[in-house]
Amino acid sequence: MRFSLQVLALGLGAVTTLAASSDKPPKITPASRQNEANYTAPYFPLLGFEQYAGNPIMRPDASHPWESAYLYNPSAIVMDDMVFLLYRAQDSQKTSSIGLAWSSDGYTFTRYSQPIISPTEPYETPGGCEDPRVVRVDGTFYLTYTAYDGEVARLCLATSTDLVNWKKHGPILPDFTETVYNWRDPVTYFSSNPPGWTKSGAIIDERQPDGYYYMQFGDTYLYTANSTDLINWEVSGSGKPFAPLMNVWEQALTESGPPPIKTRDGKWLKIYNGMATGGVGGYAVGQYSTGQMLIDPANSPLGPPIARLETPILQPTTATEITGQVDNVVFSEGLVQFKGKWLLYFGAGDAFLSVAQTPVQH
Ligand SMILES: *[C@@H]1O[C@H](CO)[C@@H](O)[C@H](O)[C@H]1NC(C)=O
Ligand SMILES: *[C@@H]1O[C@H](CO)[C@@H](O)[C@H](O)[C@H]1NC(C)=O
């Protein structure tokens, strides 16, 4: 492996960080094992997340133009006893690409020197490819991401067997447009996004007893989509929202976090993000926090959740979260079990990549 070591000199005295990068990512194949051999499914709720003291764990890298400005919103998956992150990175023009990094301790990552997904299509230019969420079924990785052309965000899908080489399948719900709930403006309280606007798809990685796969998607409400092959998706239930905006910290919007995780008693734990309108409960206007719900796709694929935490499991508390490209943001997108802990990877202030952790439940 070739490593490049980077020295960052910051304002108050010199701070040295090692940002290892490599041209040779670990070789993943359909035979590679997902999760550790002793993986233990969670119960709902999964509580006690604490910020890792060394946050943020990844920063933009000035030596790679594509990830030189901002780096955040990671999806995570454990393969062959390493944590892999697929993260959103922005260049100086704020065009997004998706990068790959790996780690054998969950905190110190080596990054692949090139993006694994970059904007190549008209619907991905100039905004780029944002907010990856990855699942693996029968040896194939299915990655949802948001393509943004500067006007319309479109939920897209790509597939791979090695995490490095991806095949793009294009926008997957081109005929649907999410409703926007405009809480700042009573006249256009509920309105339509630009035609074709869809975002943020979190796939449940197990076929349900009715023969369908499901995902929740959307960036105001959560909606449901179904598929029989994980490639072709349709919006379920005439676009009825999966869950109401319920808690005070999520009154402006809700958006999926990581793909749902099956619990020990066969339901699914879904971590999600919400934005507050402010004014109640001590949440700042526009504050993004992370919450948790328990869902039951076998019996209620169109929602609603069967349980929901009233308060967030993670809120902006540190400097990188409070002041960022966007202020007051934690945005969780990756959850893995690794070496006895649950590691929840999140974007901090739309600028850095951080992790919170809690022990595995017994
Ligand atoms: C899947 O979506 C289609 C199109 O909306 C719908 O007709 C069908 O009922 C859905 N199937 C399930 C199982 O939700
Ligand atoms: C699984 O094994 C690893 C070491 O091999 C250990 O660090 C971890 O705590 C174990 N996980 C659980 C859930 O017991």
Side-chain angles (χ1 to χ4, degrees):
M1 290 198 192
R2 292 213 320 265
F3 292 98
S4 67
L5 300 182
Q6 194 198 352
V7 178
L8 296 177
L10 299 180
L12 303 167
V15 176
T16 305
T17 61
L18 302 179
S21 88
S22 164
D23 294 331
K24 291 210 169 23
K27 191 165 171 53
I28 299 297
T29 72
S32 294
R33 194 186 71 225
Q34 185 181 350
N35 285 326
E36 293 173 308
N38 59 354
Y39 176 85
T40 308
Y43 287 120
F44 173 89
L46 187 51
L47 299 175
F49 282 100
E50 289 184 354
Q51 289 250 359
Y52 174 60
N55 280 338
I57 56 169
M58 288 186 72
R59 300 166 178 270
D61 182 342
S63 69
H64 297 156
W66 60 276
E67 57 176 350
S68 58
Y70 303 106
L71 187 162
Y72 55 113
N73 291 7
S75 187
I77 192 163
V78 170
M79 296 301 306
D80 292 342
D81 295 321
M82 279 173 285
V83 180
F84 285 80
L85 297 181
L86 291 81
Y87 59 87
R88 173 177 176 185
Q90 284 179 295
D91 67 11
S92 58
Q93 304 302 303
K94 296 199 180 188
T95 296
S96 297
S97 304
I98 297 173
L100 179 72
W102 55 92
S103 168
S104 50
D105 68 4
Y107 310 106
T108 308
F109 281 84
T110 301
R111 56 182 99 191
Y112 187 33
S113 42
Q114 312 159 37
I116 51 165
I117 295 194
S118 354
T120 52
E121 309 302 314
Y123 56 82
E124 296 172 334
T125 313
C129 306
E130 309 175 351
D131 296 357
R133 288 177 180 81
V134 70
V135 293
R136 185 174 187 250
V137 178
D138 295 336
T140 298
F141 297 99
Y142 297 84
L143 178 84
T144 58
Y145 67 96
T146 299
Y148 188 48
D149 65 6
E151 284 178 20
V152 183
R154 295 177 175 89
L155 181 60
C156 289
L157 182 77
T159 51
S160 171
T161 54
D162 63 6
L163 289 174
V164 175
N165 299 291
W166 290 87
K167 176 182 178 194
K168 290 181 179 176
H169 297 270
I172 51 175
L173 299 169
D175 301 329
F176 190 69
T177 300
E178 292 175 12
T179 299
V180 61
Y181 167 52
N182 191 344
W183 54 275
R184 286 190 174 92
D185 179 359
V187 176
T188 59
Y189 211 63
F190 295 96
S191 54
S192 205
N193 274 304
W197 181 288
T198 50
K199 246 190 172 189
S200 293
I203 297 173
I204 296 171
D205 65 0
E206 193 175 293
R207 194 188 291 275
Q208 296 305 306
D210 63 3
Y212 286 85
Y213 289 99
Y214 289 97
M215 75 160 88
Q216 291 90 39
F217 70 97
D219 72 329
T220 291
Y221 300 102
L222 300 173
Y223 300 94
T224 310
N226 71 71
S227 174
T228 52
D229 61 7
L230 290 161
I231 303 283
N232 299 287
W233 290 87
E234 293 187 298
V235 177
S236 311
S238 311
K240 175 175 157 276
F242 181 86
L245 306 181
M246 187 178 81
N247 297 307
V248 289
W249 56 271
E250 62 184 26
Q251 287 301 305
L253 65 81
T254 54
E255 193 169 342
S256 286
I261 294 200
K262 197 173 196 176
T263 63
R264 240 175 275 182
D265 44 11
K267 305 290 191 289
W268 293 75
L269 186 157
K270 182 176 175 70
I271 288 183
Y272 69 105
N273 301 290
M275 187 172 100
T277 53
V280 278
Y283 301 98
V285 179
Q287 174 180 327
Y288 276 81
S289 311
T290 299
Q292 207 174 113
M293 56 175 68
L294 184 68
I295 67 176
D296 183 5
N299 297 301
S300 307
L302 309 186
I306 52 178
R308 203 152 161 181
L309 291 184
E310 201 170 358
T311 51
I313 56 166
L314 194 66
Q315 292 192 56
T317 52
T318 72
T320 52
E321 296 146 14
I322 290 169
T323 308
Q325 176 178 200
V326 181
D327 293 348
N328 286 312
V329 176
V330 293
F331 195 88
S332 300
E333 274 197 44
L335 177 67
V336 294
Q337 180 179 122
F338 195 61
K339 298 193 195 282
K341 294 186 179 119
W342 288 100
L343 299 174
L344 180 63
Y345 294 94
F346 62 95
D350 280 13
F352 295 102
L353 195 162
S354 291
V355 63
Q357 55 192 12
T358 192
V360 172
Q361 303 152 316
H362 293 290

